[in-house]
Amino acid sequence: MKQERVNRFTSKMQKKLLVLFVIVLLAFAGLSARLFLINRDNGETYKRQVLSQQRYDSVTIPFKRGEILDKNGTILAISNKVYNVILDTKVLMDDEANLEPTLNALRTVFGIDISEVRDYIATHPNSAYRVLARRIGYDKVEEFKGLQKDEEIGKNIKGIWFEDEYKREYPNGSLACDVIGFTTSDNVGQYGLEEYYNDILCGSNGREYGYMNDDSNVERTTIPAVDGYNIQTTIDANIQSVVEKYLREFDEEYRDNYRAGAGAENVGCIFMEVNTGNILAMASYPVYDLNDVRNTDNLIGMPELDEKSKKTGEYLTQELIDAMDDDALYRQLAALWKNFCIVDTYEPGSVAKPFTVAAAIECGAITGNESYNCEGKLVVGDYPIHCHNVYGDNYLTVAEGIERSCNVVLMNVAFAMGKDKFVDYQHLFGFGLKTNIDLAGESRTANVVYYKNNMRQTELATNSFGQGFNASMIQMITGFCSLINGGYYYEPHVVSRITTPEGATVQNIEPRLLKQTISQSTSDKIIEFCNLVVTGEKGTGKSARPAGYMIGGKTGTAQTLPRGNGQYVVSFMGYAPADDPQYAIYVVVDRPNVPEQADAKYATKIVRNILTEVLPYLNIFMTEELTDTERKELEELRQQLTIPQVTGDGEQEEGEGGEEGEQGEGTEGEGEPERSEAPEVWRDFPIDPETGYAKDPDTGYLVDPETGAVLNLENLYDVPEGTSPIRGVGEPPQDDGSDDNSFGI
């Protein structure tokens, strides 16, 4: 039975099976031949189509960098979508008929040099990605897409696609450039807020993938980009613009005045809230355009820097700039981009005197009612330390010492306190420490102040009136606010809120109280003394007072190194209102472009102009009666401005000085010695027609006719060879003759 079943698979059936096998084999052979022919004749075409599909269907989705806003919501920095024009040579050359229409469209819409495109196509026939133009606006992209949709020529415009990108833009140009900073082409923040908050402002890229599903249809999967957070600052764009306007006007007035160059080597201003640490405005001059950071126009007039970033003594001209290599030019640009208010350090001068008095009162060394005899100088050891009034003021109270800015009074106050207490309070006020303001680039100053182990009586004397140690503008105004707000030291900051792109609050940054430096009673005395600087008959800061307002403050004039070079840093630290300080302002002018620099009017003039325009904006009402002259000035300016302003001639402030010595004479008892006003001999001096100052016929001193301050005393103090302000902890300072010894980090 089994044998019969086997025999049924006959030879005929075997032949049929063989024929079927041959047919299947031939079919496979034919299919293989066909695939070979397709690959040979059309393989490149299909390959280009696949690669093109990959390019279009798998792309990076860029994130949008967060916005920077002022306190009122004004946009200071924003990222707008732009497009890169991409050439896919493979797709374009799939048909040679596409070449000319596509090139013509590129030239017509984007202004692209098509000769360069032709050369690239010829040398890179297999290229699938070439950027032809970067950061093109949406209007141009739409114009090009309109040509692609044209029934006649659009069918031959191939191989061009657009890559999304974001371009960082600053709607207000140079406004608050030192605070904001900028970004590189790869979206990395440089300087200011852009660098400090880079991680907050940055988001993360997304991606879009394309693939074929089981039905041979293209499916897309998108991982969306995560945009960066926005930051809202404490900066008020209106106040910032006023500050920058008057810094610019100062430069315009004094540029090329005495020497070729800018109106001063640096001019800076900080405007902040006394009771919060909020920075409402911060600016220095010169500025730069945030949308064109490598523009060299504003370098002209700045000090030239050598390969070690030291000043050469020359001032930049267009010819010097044109001759620079890339490294040299970058050094100059870096000096332009830095924020003078937080980076540079300098000897602050007499604006430091309220700190000395506050420390002495707070530690109980003085009551503030003492009197000291000023004979124009104090001989400490074998070396005379001059007062700015070399003719002497006789006995002055501590309050009058602040009012007239008497070096002799301040030295005696410091001697009563002693070096240990003095150093303790210097560090309590923040000198030698970073304020930790939320801006990139703040200087470290630990090596430019004294400590107990290296301060002698000499340094105590000179430090008492702001010479011999270095500080930055942000350190000075932050510490000063604590002197006038009851002793509360707030960390300065520029950002108040972080929000999502949709506006939801991520973090509120509240004022941060770090410590209490002095008591309320001591603070009240400092306010009383500093008010006299502006209101007192012989106050050195009277010219800072804006029309209709009463303010307080302190002037400062500090010699730079080498001593006797005739170069000064002048300043004014002020506040308003005088009876209840709410806002503080600090202006520093580094080496004004004038023959006699030791004159604080160059700073007080700027302060007066700024406050005259800003205080009404802040709803601070006038309390003082206007003179006819002030009323006329304000009326004229109201025709031009929504916020009135006045200009003032300013008033000169004192010189500083001091080195070797020991404690001078003074009285610290409860009783006040019999006193008489010193004769103001300078009032009889003839006026020098070239400078407008009184001139001592015996010594040749140029003297301010109001205060008696000498402007051109070459050396306010004689020092032994080798002594100069500290530059490093525990080591003797070195004077290499460079200005940078006394200014800079």
Side-chain angles (χ1 to χ4, degrees), residues 215-232:
D215 297 325
S216 298
N217 295 321
V218 175
E219 293 283 351
R220 297 181 184 274
T221 297
T222 300
I223 300 175
V226 178
D227 294 338
Y229 289 149
N230 301 330
I231 58 175
Q232 185 161 21

Side-chain angles (χ1 to χ4, degrees), residues 356 360 365-366 372 378-381 385 407-419 422 456-465 659-666 668:
T356 301
I366 66 172
Y372 300 95
L378 182 63
V379 178
V380 187
I385 301 177
N407 291 348
V408 173
V409 169
L410 267 293
M411 285 186 280
N412 279 288
V413 168
F415 294 156
M417 181 170 29
K419 72 170 186 178
F422 182 87
R456 303 165 298 175
Q457 196 80 348
T458 299
E459 289 77 33
L460 179 59
T462 57
N463 277 219
S464 72
F465 51 80
E659 271 298 343
E660 282 295 337
E662 55 193 31
Q663 180 172 344
E665 297 180 358
E668 300 183 18

Side-chain angles (χ1 to χ4, degrees), residues 323-541:
M324 289 179 177
D325 59 25
D326 290 342
D327 289 340
L329 181 59
Y330 182 80
R331 284 196 301 273
Q332 319 307 319
L333 287 170
L336 177 65
W337 297 334
K338 72 178 181 180
N339 185 344
F340 170 75
C341 299
I342 67 171
V343 173
D344 286 79
T345 68
Y346 55 96
E347 295 182 72
S350 289
V351 291
K353 288 176 178 176
F355 292 90
T356 301
V357 172
I361 294 175
E362 188 66 20
C363 74
I366 66 172
T367 65
N369 299 318
E370 292 79 4
S371 296
Y372 300 95
N373 186 22
C374 174
E375 297 178 344
K377 64 183 178 182
L378 182 63
V379 178
V380 187
D382 297 328
Y383 303 98
I385 301 177
H386 292 276
C387 190
H388 77 282
N389 177 7
V390 299
Y391 306 101
D393 283 307
N394 288 348
Y395 278 96
L396 295 177
T397 64
V398 175
E400 290 171 326
I402 293 292
E403 174 189 352
R404 305 187 191 189
S405 203
C406 176
N407 291 348
V408 173
V409 169
L410 267 293
M411 285 186 280
N412 279 288
V413 168
F415 294 156
M417 181 170 29
K419 72 170 186 178
D420 287 356
K421 287 293 185 182
F422 182 87
V423 168
D424 286 342
Y425 275 92
Q426 285 288 90
H427 298 163
L428 183 62
F429 292 136
F431 300 121
L433 304 172
K434 280 189 173 184
T435 64
N436 289 326
I437 186 172
D438 50 346
L439 292 173
E442 183 182 7
S443 295
R444 296 187 53 161
T445 58
N447 290 341
V448 291
V449 297
Y450 282 97
Y451 297 86
K452 294 177 182 179
N453 66 333
N454 60 6
M455 175 174 276
R456 303 165 298 175
Q457 196 80 348
T458 299
E459 289 77 33
L460 179 59
T462 57
N463 277 219
S464 72
F465 51 80
Q467 295 262 190
F469 71 94
N470 278 30
S472 64
M473 284 187 68
I474 191 61
Q475 284 178 325
M476 292 299 299
I477 193 170
T478 303
F480 187 75
C481 284
S482 77
L483 298 186
I484 58 175
N485 71 0
Y488 301 106
Y489 188 101
Y490 287 92
E491 183 178 78
H493 63 280
V494 183
V495 171
S496 61
R497 193 159 61 113
I498 299 172
T499 64
T500 67
E502 295 74 31
T505 298
V506 174
Q507 180 183 1
N508 281 316
I509 301 176
E510 302 293 340
R512 186 181 179 191
L513 177 62
L514 299 182
K515 55 191 171 184
Q516 185 162 10
T517 57
I518 58 176
S519 64
Q520 181 66 57
S521 60
T522 301
S523 178
D524 291 340
K525 278 189 174 292
I526 297 303
I527 294 173
E528 175 188 340
F529 296 167
C530 287
N531 286 349
L532 289 174
V533 173
V534 178
T535 63
E537 180 182 353
K538 297 183 179 180
T540 58

